[in-house]
Amino acid sequence: MTKEMRKENPLGVLPVEQLLVKFAVPSIIAMIVSALYNIVDQFFIGHSVGPLGNAATNIAFPLTTSCVSIALLCGIGGASAFNLAMGEGDRKRAAFYMGNALFAMTAGGVILAVITEIFLTPLVYLFGSPENVAGYAISYIRITAVGFPFLILSSGGGHLIRADGSPKFSMICNLTGAVINTFLDALFVFGFHMGMEGAALATVVGQVVSGLMAIRYLSRCKTVSLKKEHLIPQGRYIGRVMSLGAAPCTNQLAMMIVQIVMNRSLTYYGSLSSYGEAVPLACSGIISKVNMVFFSFIIGISQGLQPIISFNYGAGKFLRVKAAYLRAAFYGAVLSIGAFLLFQIFPRPIIALFGEGTEEYFAFAETYFRVFLFFTFLNFIQPITSNCFTAIGKPKKGMFLSLTRQILFLLPLIVLLPLVFGIDGILYAGPIADGMAGIVAITMIVRELGQEHYKTTKI
């Protein structure tokens, strides 16, 4: 029975390139749509409120990153545990992994929303908000916090839906929410002139719809049947889910910490420069969200790779694991080179999409694009490799890799380089950290794929 199930499961028999396209393309679209939640708000706020509004969304960004970290902790962790168990032929255990992951997502979202509402004002200043931006940030976050549980369920639930073999439905969930968000943004911000509050309300409505769609699907999975007992948290299942999701979660938390430190540094060193406090903060917010669109492709590829290599590693088909990783890395490299050329050649037209500004505003934005994102062509290797280690059940290596760019390299550089180079030091920190993280990732994956069991496979 078990052997037949493994042979019939498409993850173990279809060509890896076909599987990667099947799982990665919907995942990429879902990630792009998720990134567009922020991009769309940035666009409408930039054209209605102006640079101060854009700066406020940058202040709110660490909380969005917190939601994503919970979604990845429970979503990728649950999906990896689920697919590894399915690859081993253990459907019963797989159902508990999925149910416990779903419970943890819901609980995490509610707790984060409550904490945010209670400590909103001190959080805004902790995140580096200047006085003239704080009011906009508080208005925006107070509303968007209501949607945190649904954002986590739609994002994290998407990983579980893909693991169940329905990547297209995961994409549809996110796409539906994004379309609703875009329509309501135009209606509330431009039609009703609701400003920051209108953009926030539009975002929440889209997230609620996406979250409810994910819940409805997960209550009727294709490969397992979720029951109430699967939703009751148990230490052994929660522990396994969180250990496998720790690497991508840690990466997001590291991004949040770096974002907070960067916001504060940009505000401080911007006040000492000719740009002032708000200009660097606003430019950084826009550029980080544009960069998120590029990373949506890379993260989408890594997420599409996850069920393929998890199942095949669990089934002992190591040649398929290696082939899938190399194909994903190739696609990532092509996309990264394209993004590098775009950021280097067209920085001003990109920044101009998000409203008008002074010449100093555009000058700083162009420099930021070209310097901070210089090693974009190398940025595919670290997230794909980190997720690969997590997917094959080696979360410690995945977690270490997830910490390299943000915590081990970028964070110290953001603190130290401005002491010598002023605000330009923040820009130099980006490419140095990217280059060092890339070298570490390449070294680790070469050692992993060079092991003897990747030269043979179990049929």
Side-chain angles (χ1 to χ4, degrees):
M1 181 70 177
T2 300
K3 289 183 178 179
E4 290 177 1
M5 183 193 71
R6 288 179 180 174
K7 288 181 178 180
E8 293 174 1
N9 194 309
L11 289 171
V13 294
L14 291 181
V16 293
E17 185 163 4
Q18 181 181 338
L19 287 169
L20 192 58
V21 171
K22 176 184 176 181
F23 283 89
V25 171
S27 181
I28 289 169
I29 294 174
M31 288 300 300
I32 291 174
V33 168
S34 179
L36 287 177
Y37 272 112
N38 292 300
I39 290 284
V40 167
D41 280 358
Q42 199 90 53
F43 174 82
F44 285 103
I45 289 170
H47 284 279
S48 62
V49 181
L52 293 180
N54 279 332
T57 61
N58 195 31
I59 295 300
F61 198 54
L63 289 169
T64 302
T65 306
S66 299
C67 290
V68 175
S69 69
I70 296 172
L72 293 178
L73 176 68
C74 306
I76 286 186
S80 297
F82 175 85
N83 286 128
L84 285 166
M86 291 292 285
E88 294 165 1
D90 194 339
R91 287 175 177 265
K92 181 179 179 180
R93 192 158 47 95
F96 276 102
Y97 284 133
M98 182 174 285
N100 274 235
L102 188 59
F103 168 84
M105 276 185 255
T106 306
V110 171
I111 291 170
L112 180 61
V114 171
I115 291 174
T116 300
E117 294 289 1
I118 294 174
F119 300 105
L120 179 54
T121 299
L123 283 173
V124 164
Y125 287 107
L126 174 66
F127 295 161
S129 177
E131 284 292 339
N132 60 347
V133 174
Y136 293 105
I138 290 171
S139 297
Y140 184 77
I141 296 171
R142 193 174 298 283
I143 297 173
T144 55
V146 176
F148 287 172
F150 298 96
L151 171 59
I152 292 169
L153 282 168
S154 62
S155 179
H159 298 291
L160 300 179
I161 293 170
R162 280 189 293 273
D164 189 52
S166 299
K168 289 184 180 179
F169 188 84
S170 175
M171 174 190 71
I172 291 171
C173 285
N174 286 277
L175 187 59
T176 302
V179 170
I180 291 172
N181 180 34
T182 303
F183 172 77
L184 293 181
D185 257 327
L187 179 64
F188 294 160
V189 177
F190 287 166
F192 297 159
H193 306 288
M194 294 173 65
M196 300 295 295
E197 291 85 355
L201 183 60
T203 297
V204 169
V205 174
Q207 290 168 350
V208 169
V209 173
S210 293
L212 292 177
M213 289 177 66
I215 292 172
R216 179 175 174 80
Y217 176 92
L218 291 171
S219 66
R220 306 175 180 181
C221 292
K222 294 194 306 184
T223 56
V224 296
S225 179
L226 281 186
K227 300 177 181 178
K228 289 183 179 180
E229 61 260 30
H230 298 137
L231 299 172
I232 299 173
Q234 298 185 43
R236 57 177 171 166
Y237 298 118
I238 290 285
R240 179 63 169 166
V241 165
M242 291 189 173
S243 69
L244 292 175
C249 172
T250 301
N251 188 48
Q252 287 295 316
L253 291 176
M255 288 175 62
M256 181 187 72
I257 293 170
V258 169
Q259 185 70 48
I260 293 170
V261 174
M262 182 176 287
N263 284 350
R264 296 177 71 89
S265 297
L266 288 168
T267 299
Y268 176 74
Y269 289 103
S271 68
L272 301 178
S273 71
S274 60
Y275 302 114
E277 292 180 326
V279 166
L281 201 58
C283 291
S284 174
I286 293 171
I287 292 166
S288 66
K289 291 178 178 65
V290 171
N291 194 38
M292 276 181 60
V293 176
F294 155 65
F295 262 101
S296 295
F297 287 91
I298 304 304
I299 300 301
I301 290 173
S302 71
Q303 291 177 356
L305 179 66
Q306 177 270 314
I308 302 169
I309 58 179
S310 286
F311 181 90
N312 284 285
Y313 196 90
K317 298 183 177 182
F318 302 114
L319 280 180
R320 288 175 61 81
V321 173
K322 183 176 182 178
Y325 172 85
L326 293 176
R327 180 53 58 179
F330 172 77
Y331 290 145
V334 171
L335 290 167
S336 297
I337 292 170
F340 166 77
L341 295 174
L342 185 67
F343 294 162
Q344 293 296 314
I345 298 171
F346 303 110
R348 184 174 284 248
I350 294 173
I351 203 74
L353 293 173
F354 299 94
E356 299 178 354
T358 63
E359 183 57 34
E360 286 186 334
Y361 170 82
F362 282 106
F364 183 82
E366 287 185 60
T367 304
Y368 198 118
F369 257 120
R370 290 189 171 124
V371 176
F372 193 82
L373 301 180
F374 181 78
F375 269 123
T376 296
F377 62 86
L378 192 60
N379 280 352
F380 70 95
I381 192 72
Q382 188 251 6
I384 290 177
T385 304
S386 174
N387 198 39
C388 173
F389 280 116
T390 298
I392 63 176
K394 298 184 178 182
K396 290 182 179 179
K397 290 184 176 181
M399 183 182 297
F400 171 76
L401 262 184
S402 71
L403 290 173
T404 52
R405 181 189 185 269
Q406 301 292 338
I407 297 298
L408 298 183
F409 301 137
L410 185 57
L411 185 59
L413 290 170
I414 287 175
V415 173
L416 296 175
L417 291 184
L419 297 175
V420 180
F421 301 104
I423 197 167
D424 289 341
I426 299 174
L427 307 188
Y428 302 147
I432 296 173
D434 289 339
M436 295 171 72
I439 291 171
V440 173
I442 291 171
T443 302
M444 290 182 65
I445 195 62
V446 167
R447 289 179 179 176
E448 172 66 27
L449 297 182
Q451 295 182 48
E452 189 63 31
H453 58 269
Y454 286 102
K455 299 175 184 178
T456 59
T457 188
K458 183 173 70 177
I459 303 300

